[in-house]
Amino acid sequence: MSTAKPKHIGRNISRIRELKDMKQEALAIAIGTTQQSISIIEGSESVDDEKLKAIAEALGVPAEVIRNFSEEAVFNIIGNTYNDDSSSIKNYNCTFNPLDKLIEAIEKNEQLYERLIQVEKDKAVYLEKLLKEK
């Protein structure tokens, strides 16, 4: 006889939603319901499959992830991934130069600004042309 308690689907939804930094209200809007309904669902031990699929889609995870979610597994993954041992060298640095990204953004803004100026110049020429015709 198994003494394992059944998964609490509502609690799993709540934890995944929190890990994704999503409010109940945002989830409610995403699936077309109210925040109160989400609160009730998160308090429920089971959720019907259709609602579960909609919630899973809104959270961006498969329904099976919600059904089988385990905080212990999440902490095991984190614990096995992060190692503070200085003898084990890992590179967690950026794979790009942030200054290059900043320069790219500035150049894009300059190009956009130049296009906007050109549009304004074209508009002025067009308006002058209309005035001359009258």
Coordinates of all heavy atoms in Angstrom, one line a residue, residues 25-89:
E25 N -4.0 37.8 -11.2 CA -4.8 38.6 -12.1 C -4.3 38.5 -13.5 O -5.1 38.4 -14.5 CB -4.7 40.1 -11.7 CG -5.6 41.0 -12.5 CD -5.6 42.4 -12.0 OE1 -5.4 42.6 -10.7 OE2 -5.9 43.3 -12.8
A26 N -3.0 38.4 -13.7 CA -2.4 38.3 -15.1 C -2.8 36.9 -15.7 O -3.2 36.8 -16.8 CB -0.9 38.5 -15.1
L27 N -2.7 35.9 -14.8 CA -3.1 34.5 -15.3 C -4.6 34.5 -15.6 O -5.0 33.9 -16.6 CB -2.7 33.5 -14.2 CG -3.0 32.0 -14.5 CD1 -2.4 31.6 -15.8 CD2 -2.6 31.1 -13.4
A28 N -5.3 35.1 -14.8 CA -6.8 35.2 -15.0 C -7.1 35.8 -16.3 O -7.9 35.3 -17.1 CB -7.5 35.9 -13.9
I29 N -6.5 36.9 -16.6 CA -6.7 37.6 -17.9 C -6.3 36.7 -19.1 O -7.0 36.6 -20.1 CB -6.0 39.0 -17.9 CG1 -6.6 39.9 -16.9 CG2 -5.9 39.6 -19.3 CD1 -5.8 41.2 -16.7
A30 N -5.2 36.0 -18.9 CA -4.6 35.2 -20.0 C -5.6 34.0 -20.3 O -5.6 33.6 -21.5 CB -3.3 34.6 -19.6
I31 N -6.3 33.5 -19.3 CA -7.2 32.4 -19.6 C -8.7 32.8 -19.7 O -9.6 32.0 -19.8 CB -7.0 31.2 -18.6 CG1 -7.4 31.6 -17.2 CG2 -5.6 30.7 -18.7 CD1 -7.5 30.4 -16.3
G32 N -8.9 34.1 -19.5 CA -10.3 34.6 -19.6 C -11.2 34.4 -18.4 O -12.4 34.0 -18.6
T33 N -10.7 34.5 -17.2 CA -11.5 34.3 -16.0 C -11.1 35.4 -15.0 O -10.5 36.4 -15.4 CB -11.2 32.9 -15.5 OG1 -12.1 32.7 -14.4 CG2 -9.8 32.7 -14.9
T34 N -11.5 35.3 -13.8 CA -11.3 36.3 -12.8 C -10.2 35.9 -11.8 O -9.8 34.7 -11.7 CB -12.6 36.5 -11.9 OG1 -12.9 35.3 -11.2 CG2 -13.7 36.9 -12.8
Q35 N -9.7 36.8 -11.1 CA -8.6 36.6 -10.1 C -9.1 35.6 -9.1 O -8.4 34.8 -8.6 CB -8.1 37.9 -9.6 CG -7.0 37.7 -8.5 CD -7.5 37.6 -7.1 OE1 -8.5 38.2 -6.8 NE2 -6.8 36.8 -6.3
Q36 N -10.4 35.8 -8.7 CA -11.0 35.0 -7.7 C -11.0 33.5 -8.1 O -10.8 32.6 -7.3 CB -12.4 35.4 -7.3 CG -12.5 36.8 -6.6 CD -12.3 38.0 -7.5 OE1 -12.3 37.9 -8.7 NE2 -12.3 39.2 -6.9
S37 N -11.3 33.3 -9.4 CA -11.4 31.9 -9.9 C -10.0 31.3 -9.8 O -9.8 30.1 -9.5 CB -11.8 31.9 -11.4 OG -13.1 32.3 -11.5
I38 N -8.9 32.1 -10.1 CA -7.6 31.5 -10.1 C -7.3 31.2 -8.6 O -6.7 30.1 -8.3 CB -6.6 32.6 -10.6 CG1 -6.8 32.8 -12.1 CG2 -5.1 32.1 -10.4 CD1 -6.7 31.6 -13.0
S39 N -7.7 32.0 -7.7 CA -7.5 31.7 -6.3 C -8.1 30.4 -5.9 O -7.5 29.6 -5.2 CB -8.0 32.9 -5.4 OG -7.8 32.7 -4.1
I40 N -9.3 30.2 -6.3 CA -10.1 29.0 -6.0 C -9.3 27.8 -6.7 O -9.2 26.7 -6.0 CB -11.5 29.1 -6.5 CG1 -12.3 30.1 -5.7 CG2 -12.2 27.7 -6.5 CD1 -13.6 30.5 -6.2
I41 N -8.9 27.9 -7.9 CA -8.2 26.8 -8.6 C -6.9 26.5 -7.9 O -6.6 25.3 -7.7 CB -7.9 27.3 -10.1 CG1 -9.2 27.3 -10.9 CG2 -6.9 26.3 -10.7 CD1 -9.0 27.9 -12.3
E42 N -6.2 27.5 -7.4 CA -4.9 27.3 -6.7 C -5.1 26.6 -5.4 O -4.2 26.0 -4.8 CB -4.1 28.5 -6.6 CG -3.5 29.0 -7.9 CD -2.7 30.3 -7.8 OE1 -2.6 30.9 -6.7 OE2 -2.1 30.7 -8.8
G43 N -6.3 26.7 -4.8 CA -6.7 26.1 -3.6 C -7.2 24.7 -3.8 O -7.4 23.9 -2.8
S44 N -7.5 24.3 -5.0 CA -8.0 23.0 -5.3 C -7.0 21.9 -5.5 O -5.9 22.2 -6.0 CB -8.8 23.1 -6.6 OG -9.8 24.0 -6.6
E45 N -7.3 20.7 -5.1 CA -6.3 19.6 -5.2 C -6.3 19.1 -6.6 O -5.3 18.6 -7.0 CB -6.8 18.5 -4.2 CG -5.6 17.7 -3.8 CD -5.9 16.8 -2.6 OE1 -6.2 17.3 -1.5 OE2 -5.9 15.6 -2.8
S46 N -7.4 19.2 -7.3 CA -7.4 18.8 -8.7 C -8.1 19.8 -9.6 O -8.8 20.7 -9.1 CB -8.2 17.5 -8.8 OG -9.5 17.6 -8.5
V47 N -7.7 19.8 -10.9 CA -8.2 20.8 -11.9 C -8.6 20.0 -13.1 O -7.8 19.1 -13.5 CB -7.1 21.8 -12.2 CG1 -7.6 22.8 -13.3 CG2 -6.7 22.6 -10.9
D48 N -9.7 20.3 -13.7 CA -10.1 19.5 -14.9 C -9.1 19.8 -16.0 O -8.5 20.8 -16.1 CB -11.6 19.9 -15.3 CG -11.7 21.3 -15.9 OD1 -11.4 21.5 -17.0 OD2 -12.2 22.1 -15.1
D49 N -9.0 18.8 -16.9 CA -8.0 18.8 -17.9 C -8.0 20.0 -18.9 O -7.0 20.6 -19.2 CB -8.1 17.5 -18.8 CG -7.5 16.3 -18.0 OD1 -6.8 16.5 -17.0 OD2 -7.9 15.2 -18.4
E50 N -9.2 20.5 -19.2 CA -9.3 21.6 -20.1 C -8.8 22.9 -19.5 O -8.0 23.6 -20.1 CB -10.8 21.8 -20.6 CG -10.9 22.7 -21.8 CD -12.3 22.6 -22.4 OE1 -12.8 21.5 -22.6 OE2 -12.9 23.7 -22.6
K51 N -9.2 23.1 -18.2 CA -8.6 24.3 -17.5 C -7.1 24.2 -17.4 O -6.4 25.2 -17.5 CB -9.3 24.4 -16.1 CG -10.4 25.4 -16.1 CD -10.9 25.6 -14.7 CE -12.2 26.2 -14.7 NZ -13.1 25.9 -13.6
L52 N -6.7 23.0 -17.0 CA -5.2 22.8 -16.8 C -4.5 23.1 -18.1 O -3.4 23.7 -18.1 CB -5.0 21.3 -16.4 CG -3.5 21.0 -16.0 CD1 -3.1 21.9 -14.8 CD2 -3.4 19.6 -15.6
K53 N -5.0 22.6 -19.3 CA -4.3 22.9 -20.5 C -4.3 24.4 -20.8 O -3.2 25.0 -21.2 CB -5.1 22.3 -21.7 CG -4.8 20.8 -21.8 CD -5.6 20.2 -23.0 CE -5.4 18.7 -23.0 NZ -6.2 18.1 -24.0
A54 N -5.4 25.1 -20.5 CA -5.4 26.6 -20.7 C -4.4 27.3 -19.8 O -3.6 28.2 -20.2 CB -6.8 27.1 -20.5
I55 N -4.3 26.9 -18.5 CA -3.4 27.4 -17.6 C -2.0 27.2 -18.0 O -1.1 28.0 -17.9 CB -3.7 26.9 -16.1 CG1 -5.1 27.5 -15.7 CG2 -2.6 27.3 -15.2 CD1 -5.6 26.8 -14.4
A56 N -1.7 25.9 -18.4 CA -0.4 25.5 -18.8 C 0.1 26.4 -20.0 O 1.2 26.8 -20.0 CB -0.3 24.0 -19.2
E57 N -0.8 26.6 -20.9 CA -0.5 27.4 -22.1 C -0.2 28.8 -21.7 O 0.8 29.4 -22.1 CB -1.6 27.4 -23.1 CG -1.3 28.1 -24.4 CD -2.4 27.9 -25.4 OE1 -3.0 26.9 -25.5 OE2 -2.6 28.9 -26.1
A58 N -1.0 29.4 -20.7 CA -0.7 30.8 -20.3 C 0.6 30.9 -19.5 O 1.3 31.9 -19.6 CB -1.9 31.2 -19.4
L59 N 1.0 29.8 -18.8 CA 2.2 29.8 -18.0 C 3.4 29.4 -18.9 O 4.6 29.6 -18.5 CB 2.1 28.8 -16.9 CG 1.2 29.2 -15.7 CD1 1.1 28.1 -14.7 CD2 1.6 30.5 -15.0
G60 N 3.1 29.0 -20.1 CA 4.2 28.6 -21.0 C 4.9 27.3 -20.7 O 6.1 27.1 -20.9
V61 N 4.2 26.4 -20.1 CA 4.7 25.1 -19.8 C 3.7 24.0 -20.2 O 2.5 24.3 -20.3 CB 5.0 24.9 -18.2 CG1 6.0 25.9 -17.8 CG2 3.7 25.0 -17.4
P62 N 4.2 22.8 -20.4 CA 3.2 21.7 -20.7 C 2.4 21.3 -19.5 O 2.9 21.5 -18.4 CB 4.1 20.5 -21.1 CG 5.5 21.1 -21.4 CD 5.6 22.4 -20.6
A63 N 1.2 20.8 -19.7 CA 0.3 20.4 -18.6 C 1.0 19.4 -17.7 O 0.8 19.4 -16.5 CB -1.0 19.9 -19.1
E64 N 1.8 18.5 -18.3 CA 2.5 17.5 -17.5 C 3.5 18.1 -16.5 O 3.7 17.5 -15.4 CB 3.3 16.5 -18.5 CG 2.4 15.6 -19.2 CD 1.5 14.7 -18.2 OE1 2.1 14.1 -17.3 OE2 0.3 14.7 -18.4
V65 N 4.1 19.2 -16.8 CA 5.0 19.9 -15.9 C 4.2 20.3 -14.6 O 4.7 20.2 -13.5 CB 5.7 21.1 -16.6 CG1 6.3 22.0 -15.5 CG2 6.6 20.7 -17.6
I66 N 3.0 20.8 -14.8 CA 2.2 21.2 -13.7 C 1.8 20.0 -12.9 O 1.9 20.0 -11.7 CB 0.9 22.0 -14.2 CG1 1.3 23.3 -14.8 CG2 0.0 22.2 -13.0 CD1 0.2 24.1 -15.4
R67 N 1.4 18.9 -13.6 CA 0.9 17.7 -12.9 C 2.1 17.1 -12.0 O 1.9 16.6 -10.9 CB 0.5 16.6 -13.9 CG -0.9 16.9 -14.4 CD -1.4 15.7 -15.1 NE -2.6 16.0 -15.9 CZ -2.6 16.4 -17.2 NH1 -1.5 16.4 -17.9 NH2 -3.7 16.7 -17.8
N68 N 3.3 17.2 -12.6 CA 4.4 16.5 -11.9 C 5.4 17.4 -11.3 O 6.5 17.0 -10.9 CB 5.2 15.6 -13.0 CG 4.3 14.6 -13.6 OD1 3.5 14.0 -12.9 ND2 4.4 14.4 -14.9
F69 N 5.0 18.7 -11.1 CA 5.9 19.7 -10.5 C 6.3 19.2 -9.1 O 5.5 18.8 -8.3 CB 5.2 21.0 -10.4 CG 6.1 22.1 -9.8 CD1 7.1 22.7 -10.5 CD2 5.9 22.5 -8.5 CE1 7.9 23.7 -9.9 CE2 6.7 23.5 -7.9 CZ 7.7 24.1 -8.6
S70 N 7.6 19.4 -8.8 CA 8.2 19.1 -7.5 C 9.2 20.1 -7.1 O 10.2 20.3 -7.8 CB 8.8 17.7 -7.6 OG 9.7 17.5 -6.5
E71 N 9.0 20.8 -6.0 CA 10.0 21.8 -5.5 C 11.3 21.1 -5.2 O 12.3 21.7 -5.4 CB 9.4 22.5 -4.3 CG 8.3 23.5 -4.7 CD 8.1 24.5 -3.6 OE1 9.0 24.9 -3.0 OE2 6.9 24.9 -3.5
E72 N 11.2 19.9 -4.7 CA 12.5 19.2 -4.4 C 13.3 19.0 -5.7 O 14.5 19.2 -5.7 CB 12.2 17.8 -3.8 CG 11.6 17.8 -2.5 CD 10.1 18.0 -2.5 OE1 9.4 17.6 -3.5 OE2 9.5 18.6 -1.5
A73 N 12.7 18.7 -6.8 CA 13.4 18.6 -8.1 C 14.0 19.9 -8.5 O 15.2 19.9 -9.0 CB 12.5 18.1 -9.2
V74 N 13.3 21.0 -8.3 CA 13.8 22.3 -8.7 C 15.1 22.6 -7.8 O 16.1 23.0 -8.4 CB 12.8 23.4 -8.5 CG1 13.4 24.8 -8.6 CG2 11.6 23.2 -9.4
F75 N 15.0 22.4 -6.5 CA 16.1 22.6 -5.7 C 17.3 21.7 -6.0 O 18.4 22.1 -5.9 CB 15.7 22.5 -4.2 CG 14.8 23.7 -3.8 CD1 13.6 23.4 -3.2 CD2 15.2 25.0 -4.0 CE1 12.8 24.5 -2.8 CE2 14.4 26.0 -3.6 CZ 13.1 25.8 -3.0
N76 N 17.0 20.4 -6.3 CA 18.0 19.5 -6.7 C 18.8 20.0 -8.0 O 20.0 19.9 -8.1 CB 17.5 18.1 -7.0 CG 17.2 17.4 -5.7 OD1 17.8 17.7 -4.6 ND2 16.3 16.4 -5.7
I77 N 18.0 20.5 -8.9 CA 18.6 21.0 -10.2 C 19.5 22.2 -9.8 O 20.6 22.3 -10.3 CB 17.5 21.4 -11.2 CG1 16.9 20.1 -11.7 CG2 18.1 22.2 -12.3 CD1 15.6 20.4 -12.5
I78 N 19.0 23.1 -9.0 CA 19.8 24.3 -8.6 C 21.0 23.9 -7.9 O 22.1 24.3 -8.1 CB 18.9 25.3 -7.8 CG1 17.8 25.9 -8.6 CG2 19.8 26.4 -7.2 CD1 16.8 26.7 -7.9
G79 N 20.8 22.9 -6.9 CA 22.0 22.5 -6.1 C 23.0 21.8 -6.9 O 24.2 21.9 -6.6
N80 N 22.6 21.0 -7.9 CA 23.5 20.3 -8.7 C 24.1 21.1 -9.8 O 25.2 20.8 -10.4 CB 22.8 19.1 -9.4 CG 22.5 18.0 -8.3 OD1 23.1 17.9 -7.3 ND2 21.4 17.3 -8.6
T81 N 23.5 22.3 -10.1 CA 24.1 23.1 -11.2 C 25.0 24.2 -10.6 O 26.1 24.4 -11.2 CB 22.9 23.9 -11.9 OG1 22.0 22.9 -12.3 CG2 23.4 24.7 -13.0
Y82 N 24.7 24.7 -9.4 CA 25.5 25.8 -8.8 C 26.6 25.1 -8.0 O 26.3 24.3 -7.1 CB 24.7 26.8 -8.0 CG 25.5 27.8 -7.4 CD1 26.1 28.8 -8.1 CD2 25.8 27.7 -6.0 CE1 26.9 29.8 -7.5 CE2 26.6 28.7 -5.4 CZ 27.1 29.7 -6.2 OH 27.9 30.7 -5.6
N83 N 27.8 25.5 -8.1 CA 28.9 24.9 -7.3 C 29.8 26.1 -6.9 O 30.3 26.8 -7.8 CB 29.7 23.9 -8.2 CG 30.7 23.2 -7.4 OD1 31.0 23.6 -6.2 ND2 31.4 22.3 -8.0
D84 N 29.9 26.3 -5.6 CA 30.7 27.4 -5.1 C 32.2 27.0 -4.9 O 32.9 27.7 -4.3 CB 30.1 28.0 -3.8 CG 30.6 29.3 -3.5 OD1 31.2 30.0 -4.4 OD2 30.5 29.7 -2.3
D85 N 32.5 25.8 -5.3 CA 33.9 25.3 -5.2 C 34.8 26.1 -6.1 O 34.7 26.0 -7.3 CB 33.9 23.8 -5.5 CG 35.3 23.2 -5.2 OD1 36.2 23.9 -4.7 OD2 35.4 22.0 -5.5
S86 N 35.7 26.8 -5.5 CA 36.6 27.6 -6.3 C 37.6 26.8 -7.2 O 38.1 27.3 -8.2 CB 37.4 28.6 -5.5 OG 38.2 27.9 -4.5
S87 N 37.7 25.5 -6.9 CA 38.6 24.7 -7.7 C 38.0 24.3 -9.0 O 38.6 24.0 -10.0 CB 39.0 23.4 -7.0 OG 37.9 22.6 -6.7
S88 N 36.6 24.4 -9.0 CA 35.9 24.2 -10.3 C 35.6 25.5 -11.0 O 34.8 26.3 -10.5 CB 34.6 23.5 -9.9 OG 33.8 23.4 -11.1
I89 N 36.3 25.7 -12.0 CA 36.2 27.0 -12.7 C 35.1 27.0 -13.7 O 35.1 26.1 -14.6 CB 37.5 27.4 -13.4 CG1 38.6 27.6 -12.4 CG2 37.4 28.7 -14.2 CD1 40.0 27.7 -12.9

